[in-house]
Amino acid sequence: MQTREEELKGLGADFTFGFIQVMDGEKDPRNLLVAFRIVHDLISRDYSLGPFVEELFEVTSCYFPIDFTPPPNDPHGIQREDLILSLRAVLASTPRFAEFLLPLLIEKVDSEILSAKLDSLQTLNACCAGYGQKELKDFLPSLWSSIRREVFQTASERVEAEGLAALHSLTACLSRSVLRADAEDLLDSFLSNILQDCRHHLCEPDMKLVWPSAKLLQAAAGASARAYDHITSNVLPLLLEQFHKHSQSNQRRTILEMILGFLKLQQKWSYEDKDQRPLSGFKDQLCSLVFMALTDPSTQLQLVGIRTLTVLGAQPDLLSSGDLELAVGHLYRLSFLEEDSQSCRVAALEASGTLATLYPVAFSSYLVPKLAEELHIGESDLTRGDGPTKCSRHLCCMQALSAVSTHPSIVKETLPLLLQHLWQVNKGNMVAQSSEVIAVCQSLQQVAEKCQQDLESCWYFHQTAIPCLLALAVQASMPEKEPSVLRKVLLEDDVLAAMVSVIGTATTHLSPELAAQSVACIVPLFLDGNVSFLPENSFPSRFQPFQDGPSGQRRLVALLMAFVCSLPRNVEIPQLNQLMRELLELSCCQSCPFSSTAAAKCFAGLLNKHPAGQQLDEFLQLAGDKMEAGLGSGPYRSQAFTLLLWVTKALVLRYHPLSSCLTARLMGLLSDPELGPAAADGFSLLMSDCTDVLTRAGHAEVRIMFRQRFFTDNVPTLVQGFHAAPQDVKPNYLKGLSHVLNRLPKPVLLPELPTLLSLLLEALSCPDSVVQLSTLSCLQPLLLEAPQVMSLHVDTLVTKFLNLSSSPSMAVRIAALQCMHALTRLPTPVLLPYKPQVIRALAKPLDDKKRLVRKEAVSARGEWFLLGSPGS
Amino acid sequence: MMGGGGVGGGLLENANPLIYERSGERPVTAGEEDEQVPDSIDAREIFDLIRSINDPEHPLTLEELNVVEQVRVQVSDPESTVAVAFTPTIPHCSMATLIGLSIKVKLLRSLPQRFKMDVHITPGTHASEHAVNKQLADKERVAAALENTHLLEVVNQCLSARS
């Protein structure tokens, strides 16, 4: 057919007839696939079918619906789905089949068999792409009643979804056709039918059929602008009226949720003319309804109200400025809701963020001033005793400020407010708690995230916030005659960590030119104590974090780390050589673990990004010497170990050749009596993603397959080490191994399983609960994904899991029971011999003293009861 | 013998029942996460066991149909007793026995053996309340019912997690 199309077409309908005779009675799925393709070609390439349309339909449609299960170990690999799709392509290929196909589809939808229903609805859906009103006309009432029945009564969500999809395409198909002037518009009568059957159910918001009816109407309304107008002009007034008729909150919620569904569909069509939009006429009613919902005591209703408000706001030019002022007022109130309606508060904040991008003026004139005022109340008025309430109001305020910072013009108002608040805290005008400072930083962080997309705001944020934060921190680190508690808050670990993430977020998206400007100020600040770019920079003494200054100053290296480790890779760092040496020195300084770790991380972060070459080798050489000297023996072993860990990580991530050497060093430490446990935990650090340095977002060089590679390179050695190690350090190896396996993508782990499984099973007997937990959490997904492999070990698994289900650690008991549950995925015949024993054993954890354990026991035991039992 | 009832096919007895909201997952408290503090078995815990049981004829749970409610669960952990009252959606519901049996089986499978359980119809909500209660209270009849493959199949379907 591919090469001789002309000649075959010359045979006319005789060729088609001949083919029909050949195909008739075919049974082999391989031939059927070819035959279906030929029929499809006959139709799509316009061969003459002559009088044989019905015969051609009969010879193919007799296979519908496909019911074929490939035999096990089928060498041809033909799936049921292949046959279904190719037959569907044939049946749906031409409107000429419509008069035969549609009755067949209706008959099959009405059958009892689930797969036949699904296949028929999907085929109907496919047909609608090529059909017009003419083909559908006679069958519309039956099609509608079948679809309606399926959606109203089905027990299967898939049938419901397919029914709705079919209705959607039917309506779309009817809307598409061009009409002759005198013809009856089938769309209108079809939609009227739907409305008639569904309308009255919408008035019973407590009854089961309310949602199926709403979904049917929405499926039809979503098909075209005409269908949408027709349906909403009927349904919206009805629903608005029903909302007022029903007074209970849960009924109102159902009604409002339906309204929301219809409003969302509107976004699919764009209307040229404002007055044509079907919603304009209902705007006032909808607004007042939403505001009623927002003031209702029921949280659920409020939530739907907030969502509806967002959707209304997204309609261009719908809301007037008066509506907006009211809406903003409600959102302001909702932003200060109490603890028990958190979900509502979060939703209100999110809605504010979305709406603020659309109506920045409304938010900066109505909302931001109110929030600013609220924030000031607490700042000036210290004496009032209501500390906790004030704090939580401040918190809400700051969260609201960061939530609305979605538009550049709003950021210019909110950022100064937040920074000013931070200054106030530092000036000691109010009782400073680290939680308050952290809250400000979290808000700043959120603002920074929102600024990342917009280059201009990003630079504005960076330029405004970072000098301010650095100035505050430097100020706090200055030696004082009388140490004040207030200022030291800024130097606490958590507070610095919060600042680190603000600085990191504000730096990652800078353009290289702007970043270069910034780095030229910040590096000299730390190396030379050049404070000239900081605001309010008259400090009592010099800032020398790398010299023997006050220890507080050294802690600020964490802020330097946040900045330099987030820079784009092509930004050149001034005085790099000196910086690296200073960092290395500080990383092995014993006075303060926080600053030495920060220095090690910063060193590693820079190392990771540095281009290969002589300078990198020099740095590595220096680091290697420093570590070896430290690890040998002496006062700074643990600092040297931390440095080793971070440098290893930096190199593992970028596949540096030296990484294997360092990893081997780390593995050697597993049998070290002092550092062994720390080395085992170090594997967790190597395999996990950091948040502050060595991140992809911070432009670090992170190869995507580094975990797999680490696994392949090192696990055999780990296993060997485990077997060779003396008994008392074996747990360290198991722990290290568990960490590696835990973080590995499961598909990579599966092929390795047979070799590792015996080790994992041994790890289950390890007394260390961390190892047990990590092994269980490793085995649980494997039970789900590789039941065949696991079923070889069912005896051991059952025994060990049951043993661990009475472990003293609650987390282990829970994990063991989850594994018992996952065991039920193994082939039933393998499990049945254990069923009575397991059911008896699981009766014990049913009476565990912890509820969370009982819950897992109940679900595991329930599943074991169902094994091999009828109806499961 | 217990009445099975025709499941699947045919007309539903109550095609458009009232439906109720599902309560959310029980929030985990700090006490529940503390290894040392024992958590006693309370009414909510029992309710959580039975609320997700599927109705034999609707794709809805007993909670959504308001057949079971937390207020109708009485439990005493120290005395090891549980009493559950359930309310059929209509007074002539032929599924009442089956629903009761499903609740009973769920509790038998999920509670420690020390518990003595009583499952009965909320007084005054079913035409043959007394007969159903008697069937459910009779251990031997419950055991015999579960020997019946067809009945066990329906009960297991009610107790299976929704796909």
CSV table of all heavy atoms in Angstrom, one decimal, chain A residues 154 204 206-209 253 808 810 846-847 849-852 854-855 858 861 865-866 869-871, chain B residues 16-19 21 26 31-32 34-37 39-40 42 45 49 58 109-110 112 114 153 156-157:
chain,number,residue,atom,x,y,z
A,154,THR,N,-22.2,5.6,39.5
A,154,THR,CA,-21.0,4.7,39.4
A,154,THR,C,-20.3,4.6,40.7
A,154,THR,O,-20.4,5.5,41.6
A,154,THR,CB,-20.0,5.2,38.4
A,154,THR,OG1,-19.0,4.2,38.3
A,154,THR,CG2,-19.4,6.5,38.8
A,204,GLU,N,-30.3,20.7,46.5
A,204,GLU,CA,-30.2,19.9,47.7
A,204,GLU,C,-28.8,19.7,48.1
A,204,GLU,O,-28.2,18.6,47.9
A,204,GLU,CB,-30.9,18.5,47.4
A,204,GLU,CG,-32.3,18.6,46.9
A,204,GLU,CD,-32.7,17.3,46.2
A,204,GLU,OE1,-31.9,16.6,45.7
A,204,GLU,OE2,-33.9,17.1,46.3
A,206,ASP,N,-27.2,18.8,50.6
A,206,ASP,CA,-26.8,17.8,51.5
A,206,ASP,C,-26.8,16.4,50.8
A,206,ASP,O,-26.3,15.4,51.4
A,206,ASP,CB,-27.7,17.7,52.7
A,206,ASP,CG,-27.5,18.8,53.6
A,206,ASP,OD1,-26.3,19.3,53.7
A,206,ASP,OD2,-28.4,19.2,54.3
A,207,MET,N,-27.4,16.3,49.6
A,207,MET,CA,-27.7,15.0,49.1
A,207,MET,C,-26.5,14.6,48.2
A,207,MET,O,-25.7,15.4,47.7
A,207,MET,CB,-29.0,15.1,48.3
A,207,MET,CG,-30.1,15.6,49.0
A,207,MET,SD,-30.6,14.6,50.4
A,207,MET,CE,-32.1,13.8,49.7
A,208,LYS,N,-26.5,13.3,48.0
A,208,LYS,CA,-25.4,12.7,47.3
A,208,LYS,C,-25.3,13.2,45.8
A,208,LYS,O,-24.2,13.3,45.3
A,208,LYS,CB,-25.6,11.2,47.2
A,208,LYS,CG,-24.5,10.4,46.6
A,208,LYS,CD,-24.9,8.9,46.4
A,208,LYS,CE,-24.0,8.3,45.4
A,208,LYS,NZ,-24.6,7.1,44.9
A,209,LEU,N,-26.4,13.5,45.2
A,209,LEU,CA,-26.3,13.8,43.7
A,209,LEU,C,-25.9,15.2,43.4
A,209,LEU,O,-25.8,15.6,42.3
A,209,LEU,CB,-27.6,13.4,43.0
A,209,LEU,CG,-27.9,11.9,43.0
A,209,LEU,CD1,-29.2,11.6,42.3
A,209,LEU,CD2,-26.8,11.2,42.3
A,253,ARG,N,-21.4,26.2,52.1
A,253,ARG,CA,-20.1,25.9,51.5
A,253,ARG,C,-20.2,25.2,50.2
A,253,ARG,O,-19.5,25.4,49.2
A,253,ARG,CB,-19.2,25.2,52.5
A,253,ARG,CG,-17.8,25.0,52.0
A,253,ARG,CD,-17.1,24.1,52.9
A,253,ARG,NE,-17.4,22.7,52.6
A,253,ARG,CZ,-16.8,21.6,53.1
A,253,ARG,NH1,-15.9,21.8,54.0
A,253,ARG,NH2,-17.2,20.4,52.8
A,808,PRO,N,12.0,-1.3,72.0
A,808,PRO,CA,11.7,-0.2,73.0
A,808,PRO,C,11.5,1.1,72.3
A,808,PRO,O,10.8,2.0,72.8
A,808,PRO,CB,12.9,-0.1,73.9
A,808,PRO,CG,13.9,-1.0,73.2
A,808,PRO,CD,13.3,-1.9,72.2
A,810,MET,N,9.8,3.7,69.9
A,810,MET,CA,8.5,3.8,69.2
A,810,MET,C,8.6,3.9,67.7
A,810,MET,O,7.9,3.3,66.9
A,810,MET,CB,7.8,5.0,69.8
A,810,MET,CG,6.6,5.5,69.1
A,810,MET,SD,6.0,6.9,70.1
A,810,MET,CE,5.2,7.8,68.9
A,846,LEU,N,-1.5,-4.4,68.8
A,846,LEU,CA,-2.8,-3.7,68.9
A,846,LEU,C,-3.1,-3.1,70.2
A,846,LEU,O,-3.9,-2.2,70.4
A,846,LEU,CB,-4.0,-4.7,68.6
A,846,LEU,CG,-4.1,-5.3,67.2
A,846,LEU,CD1,-5.3,-6.2,67.2
A,846,LEU,CD2,-4.4,-4.2,66.2
A,847,ASP,N,-2.4,-3.7,71.2
A,847,ASP,CA,-2.5,-3.2,72.6
A,847,ASP,C,-1.3,-2.4,73.0
A,847,ASP,O,-1.0,-2.2,74.2
A,847,ASP,CB,-2.8,-4.4,73.6
A,847,ASP,CG,-3.7,-4.0,74.7
A,847,ASP,OD1,-4.1,-2.8,74.7
A,847,ASP,OD2,-3.9,-4.8,75.6
A,849,LYS,N,1.1,0.7,74.0
A,849,LYS,CA,0.7,1.9,74.8
A,849,LYS,C,0.6,3.2,73.9
A,849,LYS,O,-0.1,4.1,74.3
A,849,LYS,CB,1.6,2.1,76.0
A,849,LYS,CG,3.0,2.5,75.7
A,849,LYS,CD,3.8,2.8,76.9
A,849,LYS,CE,5.2,3.2,76.5
A,849,LYS,NZ,6.0,3.6,77.6
A,850,LYS,N,1.3,3.2,72.8
A,850,LYS,CA,1.3,4.4,71.9
A,850,LYS,C,0.2,4.2,70.8
A,850,LYS,O,0.2,3.2,70.1
A,850,LYS,CB,2.6,4.6,71.3
A,850,LYS,CG,3.8,4.8,72.3
A,850,LYS,CD,3.5,6.0,73.3
A,850,LYS,CE,3.3,7.3,72.5
A,850,LYS,NZ,2.9,8.3,73.5
A,851,ARG,N,-0.6,5.3,70.7
A,851,ARG,CA,-1.6,5.3,69.7
A,851,ARG,C,-1.1,5.1,68.2
A,851,ARG,O,-1.6,4.4,67.4
A,851,ARG,CB,-2.5,6.5,69.8
A,851,ARG,CG,-3.6,6.6,68.9
A,851,ARG,CD,-4.6,7.7,69.2
A,851,ARG,NE,-5.2,7.5,70.5
A,851,ARG,CZ,-5.2,8.4,71.5
A,851,ARG,NH1,-4.6,9.6,71.2
A,851,ARG,NH2,-5.7,8.2,72.6
A,852,LEU,N,0.0,5.8,68.0
A,852,LEU,CA,0.6,5.8,66.6
A,852,LEU,C,1.0,4.4,66.2
A,852,LEU,O,1.0,4.0,65.0
A,852,LEU,CB,1.7,6.8,66.5
A,852,LEU,CG,1.3,8.3,66.7
A,852,LEU,CD1,2.6,9.2,66.7
A,852,LEU,CD2,0.4,8.7,65.6
A,854,ARG,N,-0.3,1.6,67.5
A,854,ARG,CA,-1.6,0.8,67.3
A,854,ARG,C,-2.2,1.1,65.9
A,854,ARG,O,-2.7,0.1,65.3
A,854,ARG,CB,-2.6,1.2,68.4
A,854,ARG,CG,-2.2,0.9,69.8
A,854,ARG,CD,-3.4,0.9,70.7
A,854,ARG,NE,-4.0,2.2,70.9
A,854,ARG,CZ,-3.7,3.1,71.9
A,854,ARG,NH1,-2.8,2.6,72.9
A,854,ARG,NH2,-4.2,4.2,72.1
A,855,LYS,N,-2.1,2.3,65.5
A,855,LYS,CA,-2.7,2.6,64.2
A,855,LYS,C,-2.0,1.8,63.1
A,855,LYS,O,-2.7,1.2,62.2
A,855,LYS,CB,-2.4,4.1,63.9
A,855,LYS,CG,-3.3,4.7,62.8
A,855,LYS,CD,-3.1,6.2,62.8
A,855,LYS,CE,-3.2,6.6,61.3
A,855,LYS,NZ,-2.4,7.9,61.1
A,858,VAL,N,-3.1,-1.8,63.4
A,858,VAL,CA,-4.4,-2.1,62.8
A,858,VAL,C,-4.4,-2.2,61.3
A,858,VAL,O,-4.9,-3.2,60.8
A,858,VAL,CB,-5.3,-0.9,63.3
A,858,VAL,CG1,-6.6,-1.0,62.4
A,858,VAL,CG2,-5.7,-1.0,64.7
A,861,ARG,N,-2.5,-5.5,60.3
A,861,ARG,CA,-3.3,-6.7,60.6
A,861,ARG,C,-4.5,-6.8,59.7
A,861,ARG,O,-4.8,-7.9,59.2
A,861,ARG,CB,-3.7,-6.7,62.1
A,861,ARG,CG,-4.2,-8.0,62.6
A,861,ARG,CD,-4.2,-8.0,64.1
A,861,ARG,NE,-4.4,-9.4,64.6
A,861,ARG,CZ,-5.6,-9.7,65.2
A,861,ARG,NH1,-6.6,-8.9,65.3
A,861,ARG,NH2,-5.7,-11.0,65.7
A,865,PHE,N,-5.4,-10.0,57.2
A,865,PHE,CA,-6.6,-10.7,57.2
A,865,PHE,C,-7.2,-10.9,55.8
A,865,PHE,O,-7.8,-11.9,55.5
A,865,PHE,CB,-7.7,-9.9,58.1
A,865,PHE,CG,-7.8,-10.5,59.5
A,865,PHE,CD1,-7.3,-9.8,60.6
A,865,PHE,CD2,-8.4,-11.7,59.7
A,865,PHE,CE1,-7.4,-10.3,61.8
A,865,PHE,CE2,-8.5,-12.2,61.0
A,865,PHE,CZ,-8.0,-11.5,62.0
A,866,LEU,N,-7.0,-9.8,55.0
A,866,LEU,CA,-7.6,-9.9,53.7
A,866,LEU,C,-6.9,-10.8,52.7
A,866,LEU,O,-7.4,-11.2,51.7
A,866,LEU,CB,-7.6,-8.5,53.1
A,866,LEU,CG,-8.5,-7.5,53.8
A,866,LEU,CD1,-8.4,-6.1,53.1
A,866,LEU,CD2,-10.0,-7.9,53.7
A,869,SER,N,-8.3,-14.0,51.1
A,869,SER,CA,-9.7,-14.1,51.5
A,869,SER,C,-10.6,-13.6,50.4
A,869,SER,O,-10.1,-12.7,49.7
A,869,SER,CB,-9.8,-13.3,52.8
A,869,SER,OG,-11.1,-13.5,53.4
A,870,PRO,N,-11.8,-14.1,50.2
A,870,PRO,CA,-12.6,-13.6,49.1
A,870,PRO,C,-12.9,-12.1,49.2
A,870,PRO,O,-13.1,-11.6,50.4
A,870,PRO,CB,-13.8,-14.5,49.2
A,870,PRO,CG,-13.9,-15.0,50.6
A,870,PRO,CD,-12.5,-15.1,51.0
A,871,GLY,N,-13.0,-11.4,48.1
A,871,GLY,CA,-13.4,-10.1,48.1
A,871,GLY,C,-12.3,-9.1,48.3
A,871,GLY,O,-12.6,-7.9,48.4
B,16,ASN,N,-30.3,8.6,46.4
B,16,ASN,CA,-29.8,10.0,46.7
B,16,ASN,C,-29.8,10.3,48.2
B,16,ASN,O,-30.6,11.1,48.6
B,16,ASN,CB,-30.6,11.0,45.9
B,16,ASN,CG,-30.0,12.3,45.8
B,16,ASN,OD1,-28.9,12.5,46.2
B,16,ASN,ND2,-30.8,13.3,45.4
B,17,PRO,N,-28.9,9.6,48.9
B,17,PRO,CA,-29.0,9.8,50.4
B,17,PRO,C,-28.3,11.1,50.8
B,17,PRO,O,-27.6,11.7,50.0
B,17,PRO,CB,-28.1,8.6,50.9
B,17,PRO,CG,-27.2,8.3,49.8
B,17,PRO,CD,-27.9,8.7,48.5
B,18,LEU,N,-28.6,11.5,52.0
B,18,LEU,CA,-27.9,12.7,52.6
B,18,LEU,C,-26.5,12.3,52.8
B,18,LEU,O,-26.2,11.2,53.2
B,18,LEU,CB,-28.5,13.0,53.9
B,18,LEU,CG,-29.7,13.9,54.0
B,18,LEU,CD1,-30.2,13.9,55.4
B,18,LEU,CD2,-29.2,15.3,53.6
B,19,ILE,N,-25.5,13.2,52.5
B,19,ILE,CA,-24.2,12.9,52.8
B,19,ILE,C,-23.6,13.9,53.8
B,19,ILE,O,-23.9,15.1,53.8
B,19,ILE,CB,-23.3,12.7,51.6
B,19,ILE,CG1,-23.4,13.9,50.7
B,19,ILE,CG2,-23.5,11.4,50.9
B,19,ILE,CD1,-22.5,13.8,49.5
B,21,GLU,N,-20.0,15.4,56.1
B,21,GLU,CA,-18.6,15.7,55.9
B,21,GLU,C,-17.8,14.6,56.6
B,21,GLU,O,-18.1,14.2,57.6
B,21,GLU,CB,-18.3,17.1,56.4
B,21,GLU,CG,-17.1,17.6,55.9
B,21,GLU,CD,-16.9,19.0,56.5
B,21,GLU,OE1,-17.9,19.6,56.9
B,21,GLU,OE2,-15.8,19.5,56.6
B,26,ARG,N,-6.9,12.6,62.6
B,26,ARG,CA,-6.7,13.1,63.9
B,26,ARG,C,-5.3,13.7,64.0
B,26,ARG,O,-4.4,13.1,63.6
B,26,ARG,CB,-6.8,11.8,64.9
B,26,ARG,CG,-6.5,12.2,66.3
B,26,ARG,CD,-6.6,10.9,67.1
B,26,ARG,NE,-6.7,11.2,68.5
B,26,ARG,CZ,-7.3,10.4,69.4
B,26,ARG,NH1,-7.7,9.2,69.0
B,26,ARG,NH2,-7.4,10.8,70.6
B,31,GLY,N,2.0,14.7,73.1
B,31,GLY,CA,2.0,13.5,74.0
B,31,GLY,C,2.0,12.2,73.2
B,31,GLY,O,2.7,11.3,73.7
B,32,GLU,N,1.4,12.2,72.0
B,32,GLU,CA,1.4,10.9,71.3
B,32,GLU,C,2.8,10.6,70.7
B,32,GLU,O,3.1,9.5,70.4
B,32,GLU,CB,0.4,11.0,70.1
B,32,GLU,CG,-1.0,10.8,70.5
B,32,GLU,CD,-2.0,11.1,69.4
B,32,GLU,OE1,-1.6,11.1,68.2
B,32,GLU,OE2,-3.2,11.2,69.7
B,34,ASP,N,5.6,11.4,72.3
B,34,ASP,CA,6.4,11.1,73.5
B,34,ASP,C,6.4,9.6,73.8
B,34,ASP,O,5.4,9.0,74.0
B,34,ASP,CB,6.0,11.9,74.7
B,34,ASP,CG,6.9,11.8,75.9
B,34,ASP,OD1,7.6,10.8,75.9
B,34,ASP,OD2,6.9,12.7,76.7
B,35,GLU,N,7.6,9.0,73.8
B,35,GLU,CA,7.8,7.6,74.0
B,35,GLU,C,7.1,7.1,75.3
B,35,GLU,O,6.6,6.0,75.4
B,35,GLU,CB,9.3,7.2,74.0
B,35,GLU,CG,10.0,7.5,72.8
B,35,GLU,CD,10.2,6.2,72.0
B,35,GLU,OE1,9.8,5.2,72.4
B,35,GLU,OE2,10.9,6.3,70.9
B,36,GLN,N,7.3,8.0,76.3
B,36,GLN,CA,6.9,7.5,77.7
B,36,GLN,C,5.4,7.6,78.0
B,36,GLN,O,4.9,6.7,78.7
B,36,GLN,CB,7.7,8.4,78.7
B,36,GLN,CG,9.2,8.5,78.5
B,36,GLN,CD,9.8,7.1,78.3
B,36,GLN,OE1,9.4,6.1,78.9
B,36,GLN,NE2,10.8,7.0,77.4
B,37,VAL,N,4.8,8.6,77.4
B,37,VAL,CA,3.3,8.8,77.8
B,37,VAL,C,2.5,7.7,77.2
B,37,VAL,O,2.5,7.5,76.0
B,37,VAL,CB,2.9,10.1,77.3
B,37,VAL,CG1,1.5,10.4,77.8
B,37,VAL,CG2,3.9,11.2,77.7
B,39,ASP,N,-1.0,6.3,75.7
B,39,ASP,CA,-2.2,6.9,75.2
B,39,ASP,C,-3.3,5.9,75.4
B,39,ASP,O,-3.2,4.8,74.8
B,39,ASP,CB,-2.1,7.2,73.7
B,39,ASP,CG,-0.8,7.8,73.3
B,39,ASP,OD1,-0.4,8.8,74.0
B,39,ASP,OD2,-0.2,7.4,72.3
B,40,SER,N,-4.4,6.2,76.1
B,40,SER,CA,-5.4,5.3,76.3
B,40,SER,C,-6.3,5.2,75.0
B,40,SER,O,-6.3,6.2,74.2
B,40,SER,CB,-6.2,5.6,77.5
B,40,SER,OG,-6.9,6.8,77.3
B,42,ASP,N,-9.5,5.7,73.1
B,42,ASP,CA,-10.6,6.6,73.4
B,42,ASP,C,-11.6,6.5,72.3
B,42,ASP,O,-11.4,5.7,71.3
B,42,ASP,CB,-10.2,8.0,73.6
B,42,ASP,CG,-9.4,8.6,72.4
B,42,ASP,OD1,-9.5,7.9,71.3
B,42,ASP,OD2,-8.8,9.6,72.5
B,45,GLU,N,-10.5,7.1,68.8
B,45,GLU,CA,-9.7,6.0,68.2
B,45,GLU,C,-10.6,4.9,67.6
B,45,GLU,O,-10.4,4.4,66.5
B,45,GLU,CB,-8.7,5.5,69.2
B,45,GLU,CG,-7.7,4.5,68.6
B,45,GLU,CD,-6.6,4.2,69.5
B,45,GLU,OE1,-6.3,5.0,70.5
B,45,GLU,OE2,-6.0,3.1,69.3
B,49,LEU,N,-11.4,3.8,63.6
B,49,LEU,CA,-11.4,2.4,63.0
B,49,LEU,C,-12.6,2.2,62.1
B,49,LEU,O,-12.4,1.5,61.1
B,49,LEU,CB,-11.4,1.4,64.2
B,49,LEU,CG,-10.2,1.3,65.1
B,49,LEU,CD1,-10.4,0.4,66.2
B,49,LEU,CD2,-9.0,0.9,64.3
B,58,HIS,N,-23.2,2.1,48.4
B,58,HIS,CA,-22.8,3.4,47.8
B,58,HIS,C,-21.2,3.4,47.8
B,58,HIS,O,-20.6,2.8,48.7
B,58,HIS,CB,-23.3,4.5,48.6
B,58,HIS,CG,-24.7,4.7,48.5
B,58,HIS,ND1,-25.4,5.3,47.5
B,58,HIS,CD2,-25.7,4.4,49.4
B,58,HIS,CE1,-26.7,5.3,47.7
B,58,HIS,NE2,-26.9,4.8,48.8
B,109,ARG,N,-10.9,-7.4,64.4
B,109,ARG,CA,-9.6,-7.5,63.8
B,109,ARG,C,-8.7,-6.4,64.3
B,109,ARG,O,-7.5,-6.6,64.2
B,109,ARG,CB,-9.7,-7.3,62.3
B,109,ARG,CG,-10.3,-8.5,61.6
B,109,ARG,CD,-10.4,-8.3,60.1
B,109,ARG,NE,-11.1,-9.5,59.5
B,109,ARG,CZ,-11.4,-9.6,58.2
B,109,ARG,NH1,-11.0,-8.6,57.4
B,109,ARG,NH2,-12.0,-10.6,57.7
B,110,SER,N,-9.2,-5.3,64.9
B,110,SER,CA,-8.4,-4.2,65.2
B,110,SER,C,-8.2,-3.9,66.7
B,110,SER,O,-7.4,-3.1,67.0
B,110,SER,CB,-9.0,-2.9,64.6
B,110,SER,OG,-9.3,-3.1,63.3
B,112,PRO,N,-7.5,-5.1,70.8
B,112,PRO,CA,-6.9,-6.1,71.6
B,112,PRO,C,-8.0,-7.1,72.0
B,112,PRO,O,-9.1,-6.7,72.3
B,112,PRO,CB,-6.3,-5.4,72.8
B,112,PRO,CG,-6.2,-4.0,72.3
B,112,PRO,CD,-7.2,-3.8,71.3
B,114,ARG,N,-8.6,-8.4,74.8
B,114,ARG,CA,-9.2,-8.2,76.1
B,114,ARG,C,-10.6,-7.5,76.0
B,114,ARG,O,-11.4,-7.5,76.9
B,114,ARG,CB,-8.3,-7.4,77.0
B,114,ARG,CG,-7.9,-6.0,76.5
B,114,ARG,CD,-6.9,-5.4,77.4
B,114,ARG,NE,-6.3,-4.2,76.8
B,114,ARG,CZ,-6.7,-3.0,77.0
B,114,ARG,NH1,-7.8,-2.8,77.7
B,114,ARG,NH2,-6.1,-2.0,76.4
B,153,GLU,N,-16.9,-12.3,51.5
B,153,GLU,CA,-16.5,-11.4,50.4
B,153,GLU,C,-17.0,-10.0,50.5
B,153,GLU,O,-16.3,-9.0,50.4
B,153,GLU,CB,-16.9,-12.1,49.1
B,153,GLU,CG,-16.5,-11.3,47.9
B,153,GLU,CD,-17.0,-12.0,46.6
B,153,GLU,OE1,-17.3,-13.2,46.6
B,153,GLU,OE2,-17.0,-11.3,45.6
B,156,ASN,N,-15.4,-8.2,53.4
B,156,ASN,CA,-14.0,-7.8,53.1
B,156,ASN,C,-14.0,-6.6,52.2
B,156,ASN,O,-13.1,-5.7,52.3
B,156,ASN,CB,-13.2,-9.0,52.4
B,156,ASN,CG,-12.7,-9.9,53.5
B,156,ASN,OD1,-12.6,-9.6,54.6
B,156,ASN,ND2,-12.4,-11.2,53.1
B,157,GLN,N,-15.0,-6.6,51.2
B,157,GLN,CA,-15.0,-5.4,50.4
B,157,GLN,C,-15.3,-4.1,51.1
B,157,GLN,O,-14.7,-3.1,50.9
B,157,GLN,CB,-16.1,-5.6,49.3
B,157,GLN,CG,-15.5,-6.3,48.1
B,157,GLN,CD,-16.6,-6.8,47.2
B,157,GLN,OE1,-17.8,-6.7,47.4
B,157,GLN,NE2,-16.2,-7.5,46.1
